[in-house]
């Protein structure tokens, strides 16, 4: 909506967001560009079960911020794959089965073309540490990134100086659960960008 009215905003364009939310679409684009992508297949109700090798991960085909991903999402044989696909198709219309890659998940923030280690800066140790919702403060000189986690896990807000891209502060509080919508209404009304 903001794009239609040519109102500046933080975050990706609606096109980029739409493409990236469709995991099998973005995987296909990245593979065509020559990037190494683990084998994958999109599955809907009634489709044959497809193995991409094991271990594999089963996740919603069109979600963000690790929604629908948990320990049992990683499967190690056809029985587990069939059970997980069946369970997930009760909640989602389409799931992605992809060869699982062991290692650390990296979740970063981008300002312009600069990658920032927001999840690491947050100091949050446990959980997925989803970096979401970059928003400018009311003065327009800081970008506040939310670092989401599970309801029972620590979350944080990471404050970055807009000019220097340096860490200014980390806000944590036990009452802070999936923080979002910090300034966006005010900023939109007062054109703070």
């Amino acid at each position: 909506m903001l794009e239609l009215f040519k109102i500046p905003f933080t975050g990706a364009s609606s096109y980029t967001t739409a493409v990236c939310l469709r995991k099998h679409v973005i995987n296909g684009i990245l593979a065509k560009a020559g990037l190494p992508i683990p084998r994958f297949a999109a599955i809907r109700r009634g489709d044959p079960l497809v193995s991409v090798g094991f271990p594999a991960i089963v996740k919603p085909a069109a979600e963000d911020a690790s929604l629908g991903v948990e320990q049992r999402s990683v499967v190690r044989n056809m029985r587990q794959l069939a059970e997980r696909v069946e369970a997930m198709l009760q909640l989602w219309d389409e799931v992605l089965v992809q060869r699982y890659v062991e290692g650390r998940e990296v979740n970063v923030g981008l300002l312009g073309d600069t990658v920032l280690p927001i999840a690491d800066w947050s100091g949050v140790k446990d959980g997925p540490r989803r970096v979401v919702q970059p928003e400018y403060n009311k003065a327009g000189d800081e970008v506040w990134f939310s670092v989401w986690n599970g309801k029972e896990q620590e979350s944080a807000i990471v404050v970055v100086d807009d000019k220097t891209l340096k860490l200014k502060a980390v806000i944590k509080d036990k009452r802070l659960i999936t923080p979002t919508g910090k300034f966006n209404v005010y900023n939109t009304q007062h054109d703070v960008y």
Side-chain angles (χ1 to χ4, degrees), residues 23-24 27 37-43 48-59 73-82 84-85 95-101:
K23 291 176 181 62
H24 64 286
N27 280 343
I37 302 298
R39 289 180 52 207
F40 67 92
I43 300 177
L49 192 61
V50 177
S51 173
V52 295
F54 295 102
I57 188 164
V58 183
K59 53 191 171 183
S73 297
V74 178
V75 296
R76 303 194 182 284
N77 57 52
M78 285 301 287
R79 181 187 55 77
Q80 289 177 346
L81 176 62
R84 189 65 185 155
V85 166
V95 298
L96 185 82
V97 176
Q98 189 163 28
R99 187 67 190 261
Y100 181 70
V101 177

Side-chain angles (χ1 to χ4, degrees), residues 109-118 121 136-137 140-143 145 158-169:
L110 293 171
L111 281 180
D113 58 0
T114 302
V115 177
L116 302 172
I118 300 298
W121 283 351
Y136 279 93
N137 66 339
D141 59 356
E142 297 172 345
V143 181
F145 288 86
V158 175
V159 182
V160 176
D161 184 282
D162 181 51
K163 300 290 184 240
T164 67
L165 305 183
K166 302 288 185 204
L167 175 65
K168 288 185 77 173

Side-chain angles (χ1 to χ4, degrees), residues 5-189:
F5 292 103
K6 301 202 182 315
I7 297 172
F9 61 95
T10 61
S13 70
S14 57
Y15 174 78
T16 300
T17 300
V19 169
C20 288
L21 280 175
R22 303 293 299 163
K23 291 176 181 62
H24 64 286
V25 173
I26 193 64
N27 280 343
I29 291 169
L30 294 173
K32 195 168 195 160
L35 293 168
I37 302 298
R39 289 180 52 207
F40 67 92
I43 300 177
R44 294 178 153 277
R45 284 182 195 87
D47 287 351
L49 192 61
V50 177
S51 173
V52 295
F54 295 102
I57 188 164
V58 183
K59 53 191 171 183
E63 288 291 355
D64 185 25
S66 301
L67 189 65
V69 177
E70 50 195 50
Q71 289 290 2
R72 61 188 171 166
S73 297
V74 178
V75 296
R76 303 194 182 284
N77 57 52
M78 285 301 287
R79 181 187 55 77
Q80 289 177 346
L81 176 62
E83 289 171 0
R84 189 65 185 155
V85 166
E86 182 180 333
M88 297 210 48
L89 286 175
Q90 298 300 314
L91 301 170
W92 286 276
D93 293 332
E94 189 173 35
V95 298
L96 185 82
V97 176
Q98 189 163 28
R99 187 67 190 261
Y100 181 70
V101 177
E102 294 281 345
R104 178 175 175 235
E105 181 174 341
V106 178
N107 201 327
V108 299
L110 293 171
L111 281 180
D113 58 0
T114 302
V115 177
L116 302 172
I118 300 298
D120 291 342
W121 283 351
S122 75
V124 173
K125 300 294 181 207
D126 297 324
R129 304 182 317 165
R130 301 169 184 105
V131 177
V132 296
Q133 295 297 118
E135 298 176 48
Y136 279 93
N137 66 339
K138 290 180 182 179
D141 59 356
E142 297 172 345
V143 181
W144 291 39
F145 288 86
S146 296
V147 180
W148 285 6
N149 221 334
K151 183 178 171 185
E152 303 299 323
Q153 296 167 310
E154 182 179 50
S155 290
I157 297 174
V158 175
V159 182
V160 176
D161 184 282
D162 181 51
K163 300 290 184 240
T164 67
L165 305 183
K166 302 288 185 204
L167 175 65
K168 288 185 77 173
V170 176
I171 302 168
K172 293 183 185 180
D173 188 289
K174 64 182 176 185
R175 297 169 294 174
L176 196 61
I177 301 171
T178 60
T180 187
K182 300 169 287 298
F183 306 107
N184 46 8
V185 172
Y186 178 91
N187 287 356
T188 299
Q189 291 174 341

